Amino acid sequence: YQRRVRGNHSSPAMKTLGLLVAGLPAGRLPWRKLERMVLEHGLVCFSWGDQHHALTEQNQVDFSRHFGELEMTPGSSHVLERNGAITGAQLPITALRNSSGRVIREGSDQDKWMDYLHYVGHPVGGHGFGELIWHSDMCYLESPAKFSFLLARAVPPAQGCTYFADMVRAFKELPPDLRDRVAHLSIKHDASHNSAGTLRKGFTEQKDPRKVPGAVHPVVRWVPEIQEPALFLGRRPHAHVIGLDLDESEELLDRLWEHSTSQAIQHQWSVGDMLCWDNRRMIHYREAFSKHDTRLMWRTQTRGEQVRAVPSQHQANWSDLQP
């Protein structure tokens, strides 16, 4: 990975964040080992290389299911045949395509898999080509996603990079006074807007973040498999720290976000890359790209569990945490 570090240092924790797996062996895969890689490194890139042309929607669904029960993501819909006709079947996979117009080039076998995306000439997916702010997937639900998978099928040249920040590292490196301050606080996570800042259908614009709909989660959550606490901030806009007045909440959230995103790693996409990350500990951000370029991703995710606060016996050891 290329590493983009804001500030003048990179903490030791950054050296273990992210893992690249170039190709996977044929036959039965060591699923538990692969899952452990994601748990320990937070983020893993499975690079399929030349094999990606043969991948189907069902292949990605089958791969992802080894990490847990899949759930429908926003925008999940009917699987389309290659000629654009609806088959009637449904899979827990979302196509995120950010430009309209026909993509397939006649006579090019490697591009035939893209033909299914062209349906009544409209883009697939709702995030457009603009910037997507730092966020954790589905944070506004009572049980946010556990693992997220994103497979690149078409990418713009040197644009649309995705950045990741580790919230386990962010919590460990909090100043002690701030760590103690957030220990028992909770955040309401806005359900009315997506990560592009667009108001979702069925919701009314609400200027006061204290009044937005959404789940309430602890600021610090527990990741049981690695026995680590992690900040769980969700998204910055329209968030509110429960029990604080508006100005105090805004000041605290700004401070937490500035700290948490001060160090990040950059992923420059190549076709065939599949990123898998632990959504409980990682936040991510996507750069904008040209509206004239095509960026196509397939997205799957596993069902998460209710956000747990850090057990009291582990809070007693916070002073011993090492970055």
Side-chain angles (χ1 to χ4, degrees):
Y1 282 107
Q2 300 177 41
R3 299 182 184 273
R4 175 179 174 180
V5 180
R6 294 172 184 156
N8 57 9
H9 76 286
S10 176
S11 70
M14 290 292 290
K15 296 180 174 22
T16 61
L17 178 62
L19 183 68
L20 174 65
V21 179
L24 290 170
R28 186 176 179 83
L29 295 175
W31 296 110
R32 296 285 70 82
K33 182 177 181 180
L34 295 179
E35 180 179 349
R36 195 67 206 174
M37 288 179 182
V38 180
L39 290 169
E40 292 181 357
H41 295 276
L43 168 70
V44 173
C45 175
F46 300 105
S47 181
W48 295 99
D50 293 338
Q51 302 176 64
H52 81 88
H53 297 305
L55 294 176
T56 66
E57 301 97 319
Q58 188 66 59
N59 290 149
Q60 178 165 341
V61 167
D62 292 342
F63 182 93
S64 306
R65 275 185 174 141
H66 286 281
F67 291 78
E69 179 187 359
L70 296 189
E71 61 182 357
M72 302 299 280
T73 62
S76 297
S77 61
H78 294 85
V79 174
L80 306 183
E81 294 179 346
R82 302 250 185 250
N83 62 6
I86 296 177
T87 66
Q90 282 191 308
L91 288 174
I93 187 169
T94 304
L96 302 176
R97 178 175 170 222
N98 307 87
S99 63
S100 59
R102 198 164 182 81
V103 177
I104 190 171
R105 296 193 297 273
E106 296 298 333
S108 175
D109 290 339
Q110 72 180 39
D111 292 316
K112 287 182 179 178
W113 55 265
M114 297 183 71
D115 192 33
Y116 93 107
L117 290 160
H118 180 71
Y119 179 58
V120 299
H122 296 305
V124 179
H127 289 143
F129 52 83
E131 176 184 78
L132 296 186
I133 61 171
W134 284 105
H135 66 282
S136 176
D137 288 336
M138 318 297 286
C139 60
Y140 53 88
L141 298 180
E142 290 297 332
S143 298
K146 182 176 181 180
F147 294 124
S148 295
F149 302 81
L150 210 55
L151 173 64
R153 305 311 316 245
V155 296
Q159 297 182 69
C161 293
T162 303
Y163 293 81
F164 291 86
D166 182 16
M167 305 303 270
V168 168
R169 176 207 64 81
F171 179 75
K172 287 182 177 180
E173 296 179 2
L174 275 178
D177 65 314
L178 191 54
R179 188 186 297 167
D180 293 338
R181 185 181 177 190
V182 302
H184 303 291
L185 294 177
S186 296
I187 294 175
K188 180 188 278 190
H189 298 261
D190 174 34
S192 62
H193 296 81
N194 65 21
S195 298
T198 304
L199 185 69
R200 291 190 170 100
K201 290 182 180 180
F203 290 92
T204 302
E205 190 70 56
Q206 178 58 255
K207 301 298 183 183
D208 188 340
R210 292 169 295 188
K211 298 179 180 180
V212 299
V216 175
H217 298 306
V219 175
V220 187
R221 72 175 299 172
W222 184 242
V223 185
E225 295 92 339
I226 59 173
Q227 295 285 289
E228 295 275 14
L231 287 177
F232 193 65
L233 303 183
R235 290 193 302 257
R236 176 61 187 91
H238 313 288
H240 179 251
V241 181
I242 301 298
L244 301 186
D245 64 39
L246 190 55
D247 289 342
E248 187 179 8
S249 171
E250 293 290 294
E251 180 275 331
L252 177 58
L253 288 171
D254 285 345
R255 189 178 175 190
L256 289 171
W257 276 102
E258 181 180 6
H259 166 80
S260 299
T261 59
S262 62
Q263 298 183 56
I265 63 172
Q266 177 196 56
H267 184 77
Q268 175 68 60
W269 290 94
S270 296
V271 174
D273 286 352
M274 178 193 282
L275 291 190
C276 175
W277 64 91
D278 187 340
N279 190 58
R280 299 168 300 176
R281 66 177 287 188
M282 305 298 295
I283 56 173
H284 58 289
Y285 154 86
R286 188 197 74 187
E287 289 180 329
F289 57 94
S290 171
K291 64 181 180 180
H292 303 294
D293 289 324
T294 295
R295 186 180 191 267
L296 165 64
M297 302 286 174
W298 285 352
R299 173 185 173 185
T300 47
Q301 67 186 35
T302 65
R303 191 176 303 278
E305 68 270 7
Q306 189 171 10
V307 179
R308 294 173 51 194
V310 179
S312 56
Q313 66 268 30
H314 293 281
Q315 291 186 24
N317 299 324
W318 280 4
S319 60
D320 299 327
L321 288 175
Q322 296 296 322

